[in-house]
């Protein structure tokens, strides 16, 4: 039976403020708070809330046969916590239906998977803890930033314990193969790969409201009929997109919400179901290995990482940022960690791209890619100085890690001894209390005996017969 896997990504750009060369060393706050609040409030009102309300209605109207999946970047969650908590509350309401799955992804929505395995693992662990905190789910499926994937990344995902991973159904990788089957990682056969159908996904997220598109207007029955027309043995249809496509890329005036609401009804008429990624991995078998020696993503026509690392400016900024990755991880300073998460986000590198793209780029405060590069590297200069100032630069990473591990172990040992001291003090207090109680009881006993003896003597005196007086 054919099944649709509908997935939405939720991530929020962290807007950086204008930061000049002379700010380095004097200003350690890098963010445009006004723009961050304005942008996420706008997206929440125009996109997230209407879309989530519609998805909840679809679940309730279809007897829970409608399923959907989400992933949220950690930095996106942080912005929602501050500026749009109603979005998280609505996601929790959706979660309570039992028809929603939450996936793992890097906390920062960054590119650590391309350069630093330890940072990649730490980010995923941190994001999973955040997902569990809000939704009580432990993600079983991984979605990397921008659907970035390669054989090596798949092997890491398998070693992390994931059952499956989402990625792009790119033509240059698939060749003659169809994206409508499950595949597995070439280096880790136990990791299943769920591929995005490029056309079916982009019909909704990119083209839906485009009146010049030859498929315009797109109706739900026609869309489902496309799926029904594929060969019966092609049973998996991955429709993956950003949630902001609903309401931002495709305005609500285009009737996209009505289109979404009609999908489950039309699918049911054709015997097509909806499934979460984990359900797909549990129910379907892999059709074979998918060899991906070079990195792919869902960005641009090339479906590679060139949108983030395609020019010398981007690569210089990327290499400079990750040159301190190990030191940041080892130092584990809270304020540094937060800046590290925000500076890793892919958007910072996307703003520097010089590639022509079919998808428009809103560069925000930046007039050009070079302007974005200059502002970012100014901030990076200050950030790296702060990282290096945490500990002397002449201590290399291995030595620093050893020293901090020793300090941590000593701290743990001191903490254990403090707990033992507290336990023994409580025991001593308990013994002393029992001793005082026993002493009081002993002191009371002789007094009681004396009183009892006195009482007996008085009684004997009272009972003693009186001799008669002599006349």
């Amino acid at each position: 039976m054919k099944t649709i896997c509908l997935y939405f990504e939720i991530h929020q750009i962290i807007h950086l403020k204008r930061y000049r060369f002379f700010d380095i060393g004097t200003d350690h706050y890098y963010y445009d708070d006004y723009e961050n609040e304005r942008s996420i409030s706008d997206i929440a009102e125009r996109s997230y809330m209407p879309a989530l309300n519609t998805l909840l209605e679809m679940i309730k109207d279809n007897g829970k046969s409608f399923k959907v999946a989400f992933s949220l970047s950690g930095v996106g969650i942080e912005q929602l916590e501050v500026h749009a908590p109603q979005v998280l509350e609505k996601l929790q309401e959706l979660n309570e239906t039992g028809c929603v799955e939450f996936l793992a992804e890097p906390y920062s929505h960054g590119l650590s998977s391309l350069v630093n395995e330890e940072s990649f693992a730490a980010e995923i662990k941190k994001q999973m803890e955040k997902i569990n905190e809000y939704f009580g789910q432990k993600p079983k499926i991984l979605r990397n930033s921008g659907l970035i994937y390669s054989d090596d990344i798949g092997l890491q995902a398998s070693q992390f314990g994931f059952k499956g991973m989402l990625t792009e159904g790119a033509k240059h990788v698939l060749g003659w193969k169809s994206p409508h089957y499950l595949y597995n990682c070439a280096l880790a056969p136990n990791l299943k790969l769920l591929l995005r159908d490029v056309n079916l996904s982009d019909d909704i997220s990119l083209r839906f409201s485009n009146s010049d598109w030859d498929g315009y207007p797109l109706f739900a029955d026609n869309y489902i009929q496309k799926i029904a027309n594929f060969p019966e043995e092609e049973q998996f249809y991955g429709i993956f997109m950003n949630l902001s496509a609903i309401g931002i890329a495709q305005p609500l005036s285009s009737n996209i919400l009505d289109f979404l609401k009609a999908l489950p009804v039309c699918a049911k008429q054709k015997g097509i179901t909806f499934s979460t990624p984990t359900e797909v991995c549990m129910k379907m078998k892999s059709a074979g290995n998918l060899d991906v020696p070079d990195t792919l993503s869902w960005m641009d026509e090339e479906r590679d990482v060139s949108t983030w690392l395609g020019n010398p400016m981007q690569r210089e900024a990327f290499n400079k940022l990750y040159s301190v990755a190990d030191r940041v991880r080892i130092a584990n300073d809270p304020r540094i960690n937060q800046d590290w998460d925000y500076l890793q986000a892919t958007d910072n590198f996307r703003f520097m791209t010089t590639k022509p793209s079919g998808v428009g780029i809103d560069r925000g405060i930046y007039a050009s890619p070079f302007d974005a590069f200059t502002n970012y590297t100014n901030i990076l200069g200050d950030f790296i100085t702060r990282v290096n100032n945490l500990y002397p630069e002449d201590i290399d990473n291995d030595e620093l890690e050893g020293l901090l591990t020793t300090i941590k172990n000593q701290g743990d040992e001191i903490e254990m001894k403090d707990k033992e001291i507290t336990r023994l003090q409580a025991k001593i207090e308990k013994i002393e209390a029992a001793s005082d109680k026993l002493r009081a009881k002993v002191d009371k006993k002789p007094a009681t005996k004396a009183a009892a003896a006195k009482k007996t003597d008085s009684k004997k005196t009272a009972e003693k017969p009186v001799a008669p007086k002599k006349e």
Side-chain angles (χ1 to χ4, degrees):
M1 181 180 289
K2 294 180 179 180
T3 194
I4 295 171
C5 183
L6 184 61
Y7 154 80
F8 294 101
E9 155 73 7
I10 299 177
H11 167 64
Q12 181 61 27
I13 295 173
I14 307 298
H15 296 275
L16 303 177
K17 69 181 181 182
R18 180 63 67 181
Y19 194 93
R20 306 186 186 283
F21 177 79
F22 297 104
D23 294 324
I24 298 173
T26 61
D27 183 1
H28 304 317
Y29 191 77
Y30 312 135
Y31 314 108
D32 186 338
D33 291 333
Y34 173 80
E35 182 58 24
N36 284 322
E37 181 177 3
R38 187 208 63 79
S39 62
I40 196 166
S41 298
D42 180 59
I43 292 173
E45 181 181 352
R46 293 168 53 202
S47 171
Y48 292 167
M49 291 306 293
L52 294 175
N53 281 325
T54 298
L55 292 169
L56 181 59
E57 185 180 339
M58 291 164 68
I59 291 173
K60 292 178 178 178
D61 290 348
N62 291 278
K64 297 190 176 182
S65 61
F66 174 71
K67 309 285 181 66
V68 65
F70 297 95
S71 74
L72 294 84
S73 68
V75 296
I77 293 175
E78 289 185 11
Q79 291 296 295
L80 291 172
E81 288 173 333
V82 176
H83 303 301
Q86 69 273 21
V87 175
L88 292 171
E89 291 169 4
K90 185 59 64 175
L91 284 165
Q92 288 173 326
E93 189 177 349
L94 276 158
N95 181 51
E96 289 169 1
T97 66
C99 298
V100 175
E101 179 175 4
F102 291 92
L103 312 185
E105 73 162 68
Y107 193 93
S108 70
H109 199 267
L111 302 170
S112 58
S113 62
L114 301 176
V115 67
N116 193 297
E117 184 175 340
E118 290 81 6
S119 293
F120 184 43
E123 284 206 68
I124 291 171
K125 181 181 178 183
K126 185 177 178 181
Q127 188 263 0
M128 289 175 67
E129 289 171 352
K130 200 78 168 176
I131 292 296
N132 188 52
E133 174 189 339
Y134 271 98
F135 309 110
Q137 292 193 24
K138 183 180 179 181
K140 300 179 179 65
I141 307 295
L142 175 63
R143 183 266 189 197
N144 199 5
S145 311
L147 292 188
I148 291 172
Y149 177 80
S150 69
D151 291 336
D152 291 333
I153 294 172
L155 177 59
Q156 291 177 42
S158 174
Q159 292 168 345
F160 296 158
F162 290 107
K163 295 182 182 296
M165 189 168 177
L166 307 189
T167 190
E168 181 77 341
K171 290 181 180 178
H172 72 276
V173 171
L174 285 169
W176 57 269
K177 296 178 180 178
S178 168
H180 303 147
Y181 294 92
L182 242 62
Y183 296 94
N184 60 262
C185 173
L187 300 181
N190 60 324
L191 182 80
K192 292 182 178 178
L193 301 178
L194 296 82
L195 306 185
R196 175 178 180 263
D197 185 300
V198 177
N199 291 325
L200 289 175
S201 300
D202 290 352
D203 282 352
I204 300 175
S205 63
L206 296 182
R207 295 184 282 267
F208 185 82
S209 61
N210 182 5
S211 57
D212 295 329
W213 173 41
D214 57 9
Y216 180 87
L218 180 63
F219 295 105
D221 55 351
N222 294 336
Y223 185 82
I224 293 297
Q225 187 61 51
K226 283 184 182 181
I227 296 174
N229 290 341
F230 283 108
E232 189 59 36
E233 59 271 18
E234 297 186 10
Q235 295 190 352
F236 169 75
Y237 297 84
I239 301 172
F240 308 158
M241 67 191 83
N242 288 313
L243 186 62
S244 60
I246 313 301
I248 302 297
Q250 309 306 322
L252 300 183
S253 59
S254 67
N255 295 321
I256 191 160
L257 295 182
D258 292 330
F259 169 83
L260 286 177
K261 283 191 280 189
L263 286 178
V265 177
C266 296
K268 188 175 181 180
Q269 292 172 351
K270 296 295 182 180
I272 299 171
T273 64
F274 285 83
S275 301
T276 63
T278 294
E279 287 177 341
V280 172
C281 289
M282 297 296 287
K283 294 176 183 177
M284 295 186 180
K285 294 182 179 179
S286 168
N289 290 347
L290 188 69
D291 294 307
V292 189
D294 299 317
T295 311
L296 69 101
S297 78
W298 69 355
M299 295 298 293
D300 298 339
E301 289 296 322
E302 295 84 358
R303 311 291 175 186
D304 57 15
V305 296
S306 58
T307 191
W308 304 294
L309 300 175
N311 65 46
M313 291 186 298
Q314 291 170 310
R315 291 191 291 274
E316 180 181 341
F318 175 82
N319 292 332
K320 192 173 182 181
L321 174 67
Y322 283 100
S323 69
V324 294
D326 290 331
R327 205 165 185 86
V328 169
R329 177 178 53 81
I330 294 165
N332 196 27
D333 178 82
R335 180 61 192 278
I336 291 290
N337 288 346
Q338 184 178 52
D339 290 336
W340 171 248
D341 289 335
Y342 293 168
L343 293 177
Q344 282 189 90
T346 59
D347 314 290
N348 296 308
F349 300 95
R350 174 77 167 156
F351 293 147
M352 302 176 203
T353 186
T354 52
K355 287 179 59 180
S357 174
V359 181
I361 302 174
D362 180 4
R363 299 185 198 271
I365 64 172
Y366 305 127
S368 67
F370 181 74
D371 187 25
F373 168 75
T374 302
N375 200 69
Y376 183 78
T377 50
N378 284 343
I379 290 173
L380 207 52
D382 183 78
F383 175 74
I384 291 174
T385 299
R386 287 167 56 212
V387 172
N388 290 333
N389 285 344
L390 287 174
Y391 301 99
E393 288 187 60
D394 57 353
I395 301 177
D396 63 29
N397 289 341
D398 290 338
E399 186 179 357
L400 177 59
E401 186 165 23
L403 288 171
L404 292 179
T405 299
T406 300
I407 292 170
K408 182 180 182 301
N409 291 339
Q410 288 175 343
D412 291 342
E413 187 176 346
I414 291 170
E415 184 179 353
M416 286 177 64
K417 288 182 177 179
D418 286 342
K419 287 180 179 178
E420 181 65 14
I421 290 169
T422 302
R423 187 185 69 80
L424 291 173
Q425 284 176 338
K427 191 173 181 180
I428 290 169
E429 289 172 3
K430 188 176 179 181
I431 292 170
E432 287 178 345
S435 177
D436 291 342
K437 188 176 179 182
L438 182 61
R439 189 177 296 111
K441 191 174 180 182
V442 170
D443 290 344
K444 188 178 178 183
K445 199 168 183 180
T448 304
K449 284 182 178 179
K454 186 176 181 182
K455 187 177 180 182
T456 303
D457 291 343
S458 300
K459 188 176 180 183
K460 285 180 179 178
T461 303
E463 292 176 353
K464 186 176 181 182
V466 179
K469 293 182 178 178
K470 294 180 178 180
E471 296 285 341

